[in-house]
Amino acid sequence: MSTHHDTASPLYSRTFPDLGTLALHPLVARRDAGLLHSWFTHPKAVFWMRQDATLQEVREEYEALDAGEEYQALLGLHDGVPAFLVERYDPALVELKGLYAAEPGDIGMHFLTAPSDTPAAGFTRAVIRMVMEYLFSDPAVRRVVVEPDVRNTAVHVLNETVGFVPSHVIRKPEKEALLSFCGRADFQAASGGVA
């Protein structure tokens, strides 16, 4: 296990027979900023639009997010090694405020898997499934909302595998985004997941 992540109990974890254990822990900006910076500036993360971010900017951004109530940043571990980032947010207050008809029980979600020269087959699909299970483990969550870049066709396909239904294109300050929704029944129908 990674030495600086092996003491705390995870917020949520799931073991996949072919892939190992995925676990979610609170992100700590001062500890994890360097790791995030290396992921954000990798060409694979182009749709996160942080290719030119400095380490200081990443640390300050996540310190600010941590100080508010609207966001929760989580570091995902794969068998104890940092492997993905998850952000959950209140779409009525940030990211999508005023851009769609928010409903009670909506939660927004972003996720990023670490760049890898040898990606494991099915890993990203396992990550999004586990993340959705975690979000729906909160009984207050009725619907997950995502707004990926319209050009990110790979993530649109991935989102649909866990039940997301595309709604329409919206214009955000930084991009055109495909607003998509996944309710509990959608997730259960698509993946046999927790309803």
Side-chain angles (χ1 to χ4, degrees):
M1 283 186 92
S2 173
T3 55
H4 64 271
H5 290 285
D6 59 3
T7 55
S9 296
L11 297 172
Y12 191 83
S13 67
R14 182 162 196 267
T15 299
F16 292 84
D18 298 333
L19 289 169
T21 299
L22 302 179
L24 291 171
H25 293 263
L27 184 119
V28 179
R30 70 180 179 278
R31 178 194 67 198
D32 300 322
L35 183 68
L36 294 185
H37 180 258
S38 71
W39 295 356
F40 290 153
T41 55
H42 189 278
K44 177 182 176 287
V46 65
F47 289 114
W48 277 66
M49 292 170 285
R50 292 183 178 105
Q51 299 280 284
D52 299 320
T54 66
L55 174 58
Q56 180 72 14
E57 287 168 343
V58 170
R59 183 168 54 247
E60 289 174 358
E61 177 183 356
Y62 281 87
E63 285 173 347
L65 291 180
D66 199 35
E69 296 291 317
E70 300 89 6
Y71 263 91
Q72 178 188 32
L74 304 168
L75 187 65
L77 307 185
H78 177 216
D79 290 337
V81 177
F84 57 101
L85 168 69
V86 178
E87 297 174 356
R88 63 177 275 165
Y89 64 90
D90 185 337
L93 299 177
V94 292
E95 292 285 347
L96 293 169
K97 181 178 180 179
L99 295 177
Y100 86 111
E103 296 180 4
D106 281 358
I107 193 81
M109 181 269 290
H110 300 138
F111 84 101
L112 175 69
T113 54
S116 173
D117 294 331
T118 55
F123 179 74
T124 305
R125 186 175 294 204
V127 167
I128 193 171
R129 179 177 172 148
M130 186 268 251
V131 168
M132 295 294 285
E133 288 176 358
Y134 166 69
L135 295 173
F136 282 127
S137 72
D138 179 347
V141 172
R142 296 179 54 226
R143 185 170 72 160
V144 181
V145 184
V146 293
E147 25 74 43
D149 192 298
V150 292
R151 298 166 297 167
N152 193 350
T153 52
V155 89
H156 303 321
V157 171
L158 185 67
N159 286 344
E160 288 182 27
T161 67
V162 291
F164 279 98
V165 178
S167 176
H168 60 283
V169 174
I170 58 171
R171 164 55 72 183
K172 295 186 68 191
E174 76 282 10
K175 66 183 179 183
E176 283 197 326
L178 180 62
L179 188 67
S180 302
F181 301 100
C182 181
R184 287 179 180 272
D186 300 319
F187 177 55
Q188 185 170 34
S191 65
V194 178

